[in-house]
Amino acid sequence: MLEIVDLHAKIEDKEILKGLSLKINEGEVHSIMGPNGSGKSTLASILAGKEDYDITDGDILFNGESILEMAPEERAQEGIFLAFQYPIEIPGVTNSYFLREALNSIRKSKGENPLKPVEFVKIAKEKIKNLKMDESLLNRSLNEGFSGGEKKRNEILQMSILDPCMSILDETDSGLDIDALQIVANGVNSHRSPDKSFLVITHYQRLLNYIVPDFVHVLVGGKIVKSGDKSLALELESKGYSWLES
Amino acid sequence: MSEFLNNIKNQFEKFCGENPSNDIVNDFRIKSFENFNNLGLPTTKDEDWRFTNLNEFYKNQYSIPPTKKEFNKNLISNSISDLDAHFIYLYNGKLVENDNIDNVVIKSLSSFLNEADLNTFNRFVDNHSVKNRDFTFELNSAFINDGVFIDVNEKAVIDKPIVLINYFDSSTSFSSYRNLINFNTLSSGQVVEYTFSDRDINFFSNKTTSFFLGDSTNVEHLSIDESSYHSYIFSNLKISQTNDSNFTTDSILIGGKIYRNNVHPVLNGQGSNSNILGLYLSKENQHMDNYMFVEHVEPNCGSRQLYKGLLKDSSKGVFHGRILVHNEAQKTDAKQTNRNLLLSDKAQVDTKPQLEIYADDVKCTHGATTGQIDKEALYYLRARGINLEDAKLIMIRSFTEELLEFINSNFILELHKKIVEEWFLNSDLAKTD
């Protein structure tokens, strides 16, 4: 589904990714772990199409097509979703209005009819119920005044409503207490299916107790230096990253 | 400038000859014209006109309007003519037709002036605070004749909003008119002023609307100006409020090459409250200058200014927010906010607060912000599948909609939204830098 080939990227004059390769097939959950500054969030932003980066070499293929020239909205319309590490607050735009616009933009790109507000609210309420979240979330301004945990849960709600096939979670676990962590993990797990893939970026092994990955990769210095199964995460938890940094 | 002054002087003599009135009015015109001459025409060296250069305006020659004609109502936009309201029609500044409204007296300003005794005249025409003398208002006084007088009876609650339509056609060159709107004790209502003109005409509009709010009145006002983009518009909105009166005014500035929007509420009675809202929507080379002068005279009054600018292309905006709290006006609560969203690197705003406080127990705050659409927010919206153009529109809408929180009247709220959405549609907002 997603294939990253020898990706080199820099911001301003600083090279962050230095030849990163990764292949994610349908239904797989991959986790990327790594120390601060290793390029984890840069990778997430580049996959979502943030324009601040220069791709100097390599390619990103999504279902076999390069997405490097695609705008963020086109990638989202194709089914790529990034749960932000720091979701943006937008006063004056309700969560409900924002999500309906987003969903209808995606539907429009597929040639489907837009949902009417009533139809949308019905779907949204159902999702909210499944995620054990509060309905009032819909009528509040987008992320405005949300606690850290609420923002992260709202990202998962968005994922659930927009129903992407490739979800990238950028340190969604940071700043979450154990209850919120479970809610987030349940949201992800209920979204898992044979045709949906995940890339879970995290600093800690903790989240992977709840979202069990098929593969774990270690990102150090802009490259994947080691890959393995879920036991690699436990090894990292006990040994740290220093043994992998040369 | 001297040619401009000569032109105005000739027009004034012609005007007085064509519109003879009683001694009270004649004397007032002459006195006002003297005031205008003494003030002189402003330049950017005048503090109150620092950011607005009128040199190109002074190069024009203008003449007073022709006699009144029949109003072709098909010219009015459906957004206005379809409203469920009482209509009053002004053509080139003159009252031509009006619906009859229960408990409301409507007459042309010239008949009002002819009939008014000295007391009435002084109360409605010559009783404005002179703390801020301005050439546009003095000139409006000198040319006093056109416009409408609206008098709402005591305790009357007007069943439907009053919509005043001001239309200017291509025969207009210089228009000066004054609307006097008086709400007597315990009355309430909503008044919309909608101004438009033939496209592309260059005319000089110098208008004044004066509101008089009696005790315990409740009035909401919306002013929309969609005049030609080649016109020079000088607008004075003066409000005089007595005890326990509540006033909300909302201005949407759309037309004009240069627009000077003077708003001057005077809180003259205890317990009164004024909301002063505005949205200036500018594009191309438009220049919109908002001069607020909120005067707190009596204690225990509140005022809330919220003016927002949305500036496209090379347009310029000015916000001058002056608050004067007189020494008797204890417990004043005055708040001023100006926010601007620049949709282009070439758009520009000058904003300046000016607080003069002579009482010691008051709450007075001001704040101003100017910025562009938040790039991180745009990226966030796009990352959810929303196209760049739609994402921009969402951000722009969220910026302008803050004003709606302060509007109580559903009628005004809906009309405000409709007019702003129309401007969005006509302004190619997606094509911003």
Side-chain angles (χ1 to χ4, degrees), chain A residues 127-183:
Chain A
K127 300 279 186 187
I128 280 195
K129 207 175 149 195
N130 291 342
L131 293 171
K132 298 192 173 61
M133 295 181 193
D134 196 323
E135 266 187 26
S136 66
L137 209 61
L138 282 177
N139 298 320
R140 291 170 64 182
S141 271
L142 181 53
N143 292 327
E144 192 190 24
F146 282 31
S147 70
E150 282 177 320
K151 282 182 186 168
K152 296 300 175 73
R153 271 182 275 174
N154 199 27
E155 294 291 291
I156 300 303
L157 172 64
Q158 292 175 27
M159 182 185 80
S160 166
I161 289 174
L162 300 180
D163 197 26
C165 53
M166 178 73 237
S167 302
I168 302 148
L169 278 65
D170 186 10
E171 302 209 20
T172 301
D173 52 333
S174 64
L176 289 189
D177 61 29
I178 207 80
D179 293 335
L181 195 68
Q182 277 180 340
I183 291 176

Side-chain angles (χ1 to χ4, degrees), chain B residues 73-253:
Chain B
K73 288 177 195 144
N74 292 328
L75 296 166
I76 304 166
S77 138
N78 289 341
S79 302
I80 301 297
S81 57
D82 291 349
L83 292 169
D84 182 22
H86 297 297
F87 289 98
I88 298 175
Y89 301 92
L90 277 80
Y91 188 179
N92 293 339
K94 294 179 199 297
L95 176 70
V96 286
E97 197 185 324
N98 63 271
D99 293 346
N100 288 319
I101 312 170
D102 286 347
N103 296 314
V104 181
V105 176
I106 299 170
K107 53 177 100 165
S108 72
L109 193 76
S110 52
S111 354
F112 166 81
L113 293 172
N114 283 331
E115 295 159 12
D117 57 26
L118 189 60
N119 274 343
T120 313
F121 183 85
N122 284 343
R123 182 172 160 218
F124 291 115
V125 181
D126 198 13
N127 190 28
H128 287 290
S129 164
V130 291
K131 290 282 176 193
N132 174 40
R133 282 213 179 272
D134 177 276
F135 90 95
T136 65
F137 184 64
E138 297 303 330
L139 201 57
N140 183 277
S141 297
F143 284 86
I144 196 159
N145 187 58
D146 291 346
V148 64
F149 175 75
I150 301 171
D151 193 30
V152 181
N153 290 350
E154 237 180 77
K155 296 182 189 166
V157 177
I158 308 173
D159 59 337
K160 282 193 276 189
I162 298 176
V163 176
L164 250 156
I165 299 182
N166 304 302
Y167 164 61
F168 296 94
D169 73 7
S170 54
S171 67
T172 308
S173 168
F174 168 39
S175 169
S176 180
Y177 62 104
R178 184 174 302 196
N179 297 328
L180 302 179
I181 304 168
N182 182 39
F183 278 82
N184 286 295
T185 308
L186 286 163
S187 61
S188 64
Q190 297 146 38
V191 179
V192 174
E193 291 182 272
Y194 174 75
T195 307
F196 74 109
S197 75
D198 285 351
R199 283 170 68 94
D200 301 335
I201 58 171
N202 169 354
F203 73 109
F204 166 23
S205 166
N206 189 23
K207 64 174 174 183
T208 295
T209 297
S210 302
F211 273 94
F212 301 87
L213 270 68
D215 291 351
S216 304
T217 48
N218 207 327
V219 179
E220 286 202 62
H221 170 240
L222 170 65
S223 167
I224 302 160
D225 199 320
E226 296 189 309
S227 295
S228 149
Y229 288 111
H230 299 275
S231 58
Y232 297 87
I233 305 169
F234 299 85
S235 166
N236 283 283
L237 173 63
K238 293 192 176 275
I239 306 116
S240 169
Q241 290 186 239
T242 55
N243 294 342
D244 302 314
S245 58
N246 277 303
F247 187 70
T248 297
T249 176
D250 174 25
S251 302
I252 305 176
L253 279 56

Side-chain angles (χ1 to χ4, degrees), chain B residues 410-426:
Chain B
N410 207 40
F411 180 90
I412 288 180
L413 186 101
E414 289 305 321
L415 184 55
H416 173 115
K417 277 162 71 173
K418 194 190 264 177
I419 296 291
V420 172
E421 282 297 324
E422 282 175 4
W423 187 84
F424 288 171
L425 267 176
N426 294 331

